Amino acid sequence: MSGDLKASNAKVISTEPLVSSTMMASTTYTDPLGKQRTWESAERSTRPKTSPIDGVGIVAILQKPSGPELLLQKQFRPPINQVVIEVPAGLVDEGETAEESAVRELREETGYVGIAAEISPVMFNDPGFCNTNLNMVHVNVDMSLQENQNLKPELEENEFIEVFSTPLKTLYVECKRLEAEGYAIDARVGTLAEGIEVARRWKLQ
């Protein structure tokens, strides 16, 4: 994204039901009592045949003099007509590992280069509604590298992303502040903030 373009400048014009969609499915199953039931859900059709996941979410911590900060972004999401606070994320390409995808997406969306350090178990975003899943990948970012001081994102034509970072220790409070300002909080960001807050309240090490 360049110039004065902001995610908040986007808006929904209209919403219409689709006459047909390959993303919707009706599943017939039997419950624990043996009763046959049906369940309507959405299915992502872009998962590579060789991949167990659809995409990745990226936990990139920037080490700054004032303390560690989590890399975040603002992006308008038409389904909810709001700008959402998210971690960098994206879909896995054919032949990619989760780690390779995370490093690529981080560079393309934010300009930062990094090294994948840890990968989470497979997570399902909303299993009551869709089959979409992902790995969260922790990526180490060396702030001393020239590439990470002169950022050059490689956004696609339809991507308008604002990148920022916030102190990790105050992420929970920051999520509440951003929500009060009208932003929506992505579940991955909110869950990470909740985890930090639980650890703080219960003095977990």
Side-chain angles (χ1 to χ4, degrees), residues 44 128 205:
R44 182 178 285 281
Q205 297 294 329

Side-chain angles (χ1 to χ4, degrees), residues 61-73:
I61 308 299
L62 309 182
Q63 291 291 349
K64 296 193 174 183
S66 57
E69 297 192 3
L70 177 66
L71 189 63
L72 295 172
Q73 55 193 39

Side-chain angles (χ1 to χ4, degrees), residues 2-183:
S2 61
D4 297 325
L5 293 176
K6 291 185 177 296
S8 57
N9 292 338
K11 64 179 180 180
V12 169
I13 298 174
S14 65
T15 301
E16 301 176 0
L18 293 174
V19 176
S20 63
S21 173
T22 56
M23 295 288 287
M24 297 302 297
S26 178
T27 300
T28 301
Y29 70 103
T30 55
D31 68 15
L33 298 176
K35 184 175 181 179
Q36 185 169 299
R37 298 180 183 276
T38 59
W39 193 287
E40 293 183 356
S41 62
E43 292 189 352
R44 182 178 285 281
S45 59
T46 56
R47 183 184 302 173
K49 294 180 179 179
T50 58
S51 175
I53 57 171
D54 295 299
V56 293
I58 302 161
V59 179
I61 308 299
L62 309 182
Q63 291 291 349
K64 296 193 174 183
S66 57
E69 297 192 3
L70 177 66
L71 189 63
L72 295 172
Q73 55 193 39
K74 298 175 182 178
Q75 189 166 189
F76 178 73
R77 294 301 188 181
I80 62 173
N81 194 25
Q82 280 184 276
V83 176
V84 183
I85 305 300
E86 307 173 342
V87 292
L91 298 177
V92 174
D93 285 344
E94 186 69 54
E96 273 188 329
T97 65
E99 293 90 341
E100 291 168 340
S101 178
V103 170
R104 174 182 57 76
E105 287 287 353
L106 181 68
R107 183 185 68 254
E108 292 177 354
E109 292 191 353
T110 72
Y112 283 101
V113 297
I115 298 174
E118 188 173 347
I119 184 171
S120 76
V122 175
M123 300 179 178
F124 290 84
N125 300 0
D126 189 355
F129 173 68
C130 64
N131 68 341
T132 302
N133 64 7
L134 79 161
N135 286 125
M136 294 297 291
V137 181
H138 296 221
V139 177
N140 292 336
V141 178
D142 185 347
M143 296 297 288
S144 69
L145 294 179
Q146 184 62 35
E147 301 98 309
N148 290 331
Q149 298 174 25
N150 182 27
L151 303 177
K152 297 180 180 178
E154 302 169 11
L155 297 176
E156 296 179 12
E157 179 272 335
N158 63 343
E159 289 183 314
F160 302 91
I161 296 173
E162 297 176 50
V163 178
F164 69 105
S165 63
T166 192
L168 200 55
K169 65 180 180 181
T170 57
L171 180 60
Y172 186 75
V173 173
E174 184 67 6
C175 283
K176 288 195 169 185
R177 184 188 69 81
L178 289 164
E179 183 183 44
E181 290 184 0
Y183 294 99

